[in-house]
Amino acid sequence: MSEQITEREVGRSRARKEDARLVTGQTNWTDNISVNGLLHLAILRSPMAHARIDRVDVTPALERPGVIAAFTGRDLAEGTASLPCAWPVTEDIVLPDHPSVAVDEVRYAGDPVAVVVARDRYAAADALEAIEVDYEPLPPVLDLEAALTDDAPLVHSDKGTNRCFVWPLATGENYEAVKQRADVVVRRRYLQQRLIPNAMEPRAVVVTPLAASGEYTVYSATQVPHVLRVMLSMVTGVPEHKLRVVAPDVGGGFGSKLQVYGEEVIALDIARRLGRPVKWTESRSEGYLATHHGRGQVQDIEIAATREGKLLGLKVDLLADMGAYLMLVTPGIPILGAFMYPAIYKMDAYDFTCTGVFTTRTPTDAYRGAGRPEATYAIERIMDELAVELGLDPVELRRRNWIAHDEFPYTSVSGLTYDSGNYEAATDKALTLFGYDELRAEQAKRNESGDSVRLGIGVSTYTEMCGLAPSRVLRDLRYAAGGWEAASIRMLPTGKVEVVTGTSPHGQGHETCWSQIAADVLGVPFEDVEVVHGDTRSAPQGMDTYGSRSLVVGGAAVHHAAQKVVDKARRVAAHLLEASEHDLEFTDGAFSVKGSPEARKTIQEVAFETFSSHDLPDGMEPTINAEHLVDPDNFSYPHGTHLCAVEVDTETGRTSIRSYVCVDDVGRVINPVIVEGQVHGGLAQGIAQALYEEAVYDDEGNLVSGTMADYLVPSAVDLPEFTTGRTETPATSNPLGVKGVGEAGTIASTPAVVNAIVDALRPLGVQDIAMPCSPGRVWEALQAAQSTRSDQSTRSARPGEEAGSS
């Protein structure tokens, strides 16, 4: 109980505490949960993207074996409100009703139409075939620009428009005035394709009612148990104090489980109606339709600069696909990115406008990076284009414009105050690891020889705003909730420690890192710390996990709570040692009297003395437990430089990543092996957007990439070896000096890869390739460039003819 600790935990590559039960299958996924009398739900989904519902008849389903009940949208509308949107980004935003089950109209392929309840999942699924639905087809709305025209069909006819909102941001000098001073203005259009989240664990929900007291326990594969509890109460009318939400082991999320889904509302409502426990688990193909999608933007970018390469201003016009409805934070996702288009660069003017657009597709919402990968992609792509226009090396152009390390803290043109950073150090280290000059020399030789396999080099420098937290900032952005986070420390009589956190992990390693933080502050063994999370009964306060906020905000709360425990224990120790609190030193988990080190009490001994409470200071409660809530004043700003070398076969269009180097600065590192894992995972996801993944719809609004056979999720064999490095400039916005790492790899890697591909093919006339840069798209771009060059050669040979004639 009085073991003394001398080695620091923070900075050690500890094996994750979570992994033993995960790799041995001793986990508790939501779908593993089974209780007596459990019923199963199956949901009938619309096969059409847009249609009026003339009739729904569930009676035939009730005649199927094992079926207990069946409900239409009209049935379930009695007693539940519209699904919530917590981020109405403008005062005049269009907020359509969003029923959990469609009543009069379906607005995307996959929109729920009816629900069957049966004794097992197979009976429920089979009974869906018996439900009779009459649809009257309506025209789909798919193209973002066409959706805004006066004669466009309407996704929500009662709203009179497909325009959801217009959100402007203009900072610094007037952009048009700055543009007049420019020697070079470059304009480009980039497309952010829709992406479909692919967490290893599908979504699932189990609801168990306790009829006698009107209480309900909701088990859900969610990132946000605390948010979910509040929202479920608001939508269903079940009093919040009668709701317990539990996130068991959650197998990944990537933003897709940062949501309040209709299926969670349906399950709670039906459990309430029937007084029986119910379960719903999505199939993988069902999830492709019904789990929200990510990205989906058209980006028109304009950048102005002097002939020497000094940036003057940036203009961004964004069309953002909302999909059919506004989910929990749908409108806010592109707004998060709004602040990051200027990235690490100094400039005089910035003009941003985002227009949200309704379409008849699956709603969009948070996907790893949430607005910031889109912003980084646009600025890093157009920086390469500007470098070509100016005849500068892309790294050199960036050097001429980034914020120097001695200029921090620095207020960017978008209005954010970057507290710390060293872009020079990260870039220099990355260039050395990459062998940049040698690769450029090799590239020149291969281009001169006309090699059919071209070498391309891509650069991506980035920063991001993470640690999504400052409540006053969120207020100004019209976000409904705060960004604070809670933690408490319970010192048990035996000297063991329970850390209760309001953040809810789904693979990040909270149990390990929080144990390291608490162990260092308290001076107790790492093994003696247990982390409690994901249950609104045992961890009643919290704002959950998203936006790379867990460590920056939740970890800081743990640190502060542990420090409060030490402060309380100091008072008890001083009393027991008959000394002044000011005369005590606390080192390696023990209090000692200055000048008399033999007079000492370990914090574990103090915990037991407090438990017995036989000899406490007068007026002191018999506890040294403590809690703390953190609400930071600022975001945190990790940064880094990513470099990618690709080889592109001009005969087949196939791209191979030859080498990938990244140097990230995530502030102080708690556990290096966890940081490495987060970076690798992020790189895989960002590279996937560049090369592989895309949600594809046909002209009728049907998702044609609705299975893993059609939607290409890369495996380990599709990805290169990564060379990673770090620099460290501690954050000043939290006591740990940490900055966040969960999304960094995704943010930086996509433009690095695409820049490399375009760099390889630019000598052949290719200026851009829409993502994903599949072999087919690369080959088509090469053929188009060759055709254009042939046409130009023909016109040059016939100077008397009009341009464009053959």
Side-chain angles (χ1 to χ4, degrees), residues 220-293:
S220 182
T222 182
Q223 297 175 220
V224 289
H226 297 90
V227 173
L228 180 58
R229 183 189 188 209
V230 173
M231 294 302 184
L232 284 177
S233 178
M234 294 173 65
V235 173
T236 66
V238 176
E240 187 181 350
H241 66 286
K242 297 289 188 179
L243 274 175
R244 175 190 179 194
V245 175
V246 181
D249 290 316
V250 177
F254 312 121
S256 70
K257 294 171 184 172
L258 165 56
Q259 196 53 267
V260 177
Y261 281 105
E263 292 86 357
E264 291 160 323
V265 173
I266 292 166
L268 176 56
D269 187 33
I270 291 177
R272 176 174 58 177
R273 289 168 182 263
L274 301 182
R276 296 273 299 275
V278 300
K279 176 191 285 188
W280 173 81
T281 302
E282 71 179 0
S283 66
R284 184 65 67 176
S285 57
E286 186 179 22
Y288 273 46
L289 289 169
T291 296
H292 74 240
H293 292 179

Side-chain angles (χ1 to χ4, degrees), residues 455-477:
L455 176 64
I457 297 166
V459 180
S460 174
T461 53
Y462 80 98
T463 188
E464 59 158 322
M465 54 186 282
C466 66
L468 188 64
S471 295
R472 284 165 289 186
V473 174
L474 295 176
R475 172 203 62 197
D476 294 341
L477 293 174

Side-chain angles (χ1 to χ4, degrees), residues 108-356:
Y108 65 97
D111 211 351
V113 175
V115 183
V116 169
V117 187
R119 298 186 190 282
D120 64 66
R121 67 180 60 187
Y122 306 106
D126 289 345
L128 294 181
E129 300 173 358
I131 297 175
E132 298 173 2
V133 186
D134 293 337
Y135 296 101
E136 180 184 338
L138 295 170
V141 179
L142 302 170
D143 182 270
L144 296 182
E145 289 177 307
L148 297 176
T149 60
D150 292 339
D151 59 349
L154 297 175
V155 180
H156 299 276
S157 57
D158 61 318
K159 299 303 180 184
T161 181
N162 291 320
R163 183 178 283 103
C164 177
F165 64 86
V166 178
W167 193 91
L169 176 68
T171 59
E173 299 179 39
N174 178 274
Y175 173 77
E176 292 301 326
V178 166
K179 180 179 171 181
Q180 297 304 311
R181 306 201 306 263
D183 301 310
V184 177
V185 176
V186 177
R187 302 177 187 86
R188 292 293 186 271
R189 166 168 284 198
Y190 300 123
L191 303 179
Q192 288 284 329
Q193 78 271 37
R194 276 177 166 250
L195 301 176
I196 301 176
N198 279 274
M200 285 194 291
E201 180 201 17
R203 290 190 295 121
V205 58
V206 173
V207 180
T208 61
L210 186 60
S213 60
E215 295 178 278
Y216 300 87
T217 299
V218 179
Y219 301 90
S220 182
T222 182
Q223 297 175 220
V224 289
H226 297 90
V227 173
L228 180 58
R229 183 189 188 209
V230 173
M231 294 302 184
L232 284 177
S233 178
M234 294 173 65
V235 173
T236 66
V238 176
E240 187 181 350
H241 66 286
K242 297 289 188 179
L243 274 175
R244 175 190 179 194
V245 175
V246 181
D249 290 316
V250 177
F254 312 121
S256 70
K257 294 171 184 172
L258 165 56
Q259 196 53 267
V260 177
Y261 281 105
E263 292 86 357
E264 291 160 323
V265 173
I266 292 166
L268 176 56
D269 187 33
I270 291 177
R272 176 174 58 177
R273 289 168 182 263
L274 301 182
R276 296 273 299 275
V278 300
K279 176 191 285 188
W280 173 81
T281 302
E282 71 179 0
S283 66
R284 184 65 67 176
S285 57
E286 186 179 22
Y288 273 46
L289 289 169
T291 296
H292 74 240
H293 292 179
R295 313 288 193 253
Q297 296 180 1
V298 177
Q299 302 170 311
D300 286 307
I301 314 296
E302 182 176 287
I303 197 165
T306 68
R307 64 175 53 90
E308 293 78 24
K310 180 184 184 300
L311 298 185
L312 298 176
L314 179 69
K315 183 173 176 20
V316 177
D317 286 304
L318 192 66
L319 293 180
D321 187 352
M322 303 288 98
Y325 299 100
L326 301 183
M327 302 289 281
L328 189 65
V329 292
T330 300
I333 298 305
I335 305 311
L336 276 178
F339 299 95
M340 299 315 301
Y341 282 85
I344 67 173
Y345 306 118
K346 295 180 285 189
M347 59 187 74
D348 301 325
Y350 174 49
D351 192 319
F352 172 94
T353 303
C354 176
T355 302

Side-chain angles (χ1 to χ4, degrees), residues 74-117:
R74 198 170 301 281
D75 297 330
L76 295 173
E78 300 174 7
T80 59
S82 175
L83 292 175
C85 174
W87 205 335
V89 294
T90 62
E91 188 173 351
D92 60 351
I93 189 172
V94 174
L95 286 169
D97 284 340
H98 185 184
S100 299
V101 178
V103 178
D104 299 312
E105 201 169 300
V106 292
R107 294 183 170 87
Y108 65 97
D111 211 351
V113 175
V115 183
V116 169
V117 187

Side-chain angles (χ1 to χ4, degrees), residues 580-718:
S580 165
E581 291 181 44
H582 302 293
D583 290 335
L584 291 190
E585 295 178 331
F586 183 69
T587 307
D588 298 330
F591 296 95
S592 59
V593 180
K594 294 176 183 177
S596 302
E598 69 283 355
R600 62 193 302 274
K601 287 285 183 181
T602 67
I603 197 166
Q604 294 98 328
E605 290 171 329
V606 171
F608 188 83
E609 292 284 355
T610 307
F611 166 72
S612 70
S613 63
H614 291 167
D615 187 15
L616 293 181
D618 291 342
M620 182 172 183
E621 295 178 335
T623 180
I624 56 172
N625 297 345
E627 68 176 13
H628 192 88
L629 277 75
V630 166
D631 195 348
D633 294 326
N634 196 5
F635 301 100
S636 66
Y637 301 95
H639 68 82
T641 297
H642 288 221
L643 302 170
C644 178
V646 301
E647 293 186 320
V648 183
D649 189 327
T650 59
E651 295 176 352
T652 66
R654 184 175 184 273
T655 297
S656 301
I657 296 179
R658 175 168 145 179
S659 64
Y660 195 101
V661 168
C662 62
V663 174
D664 296 294
D665 191 322
V666 298
R668 192 179 183 196
V669 171
I670 303 298
N671 187 314
V673 73
I674 288 179
V675 167
E676 193 80 355
Q678 290 280 1
V679 170
H680 279 214
L683 293 176
Q685 231 160 335
I687 291 169
Q689 179 174 7
L691 295 178
Y692 302 112
E693 297 187 24
E694 182 179 23
V696 179
Y697 286 83
D698 66 16
D699 292 341
E700 300 301 316
N702 299 305
L703 181 66
V704 297
S705 57
T707 71
M708 284 189 171
D710 310 296
Y711 184 92
L712 183 53
V713 179
S715 68
V717 299
D718 299 304

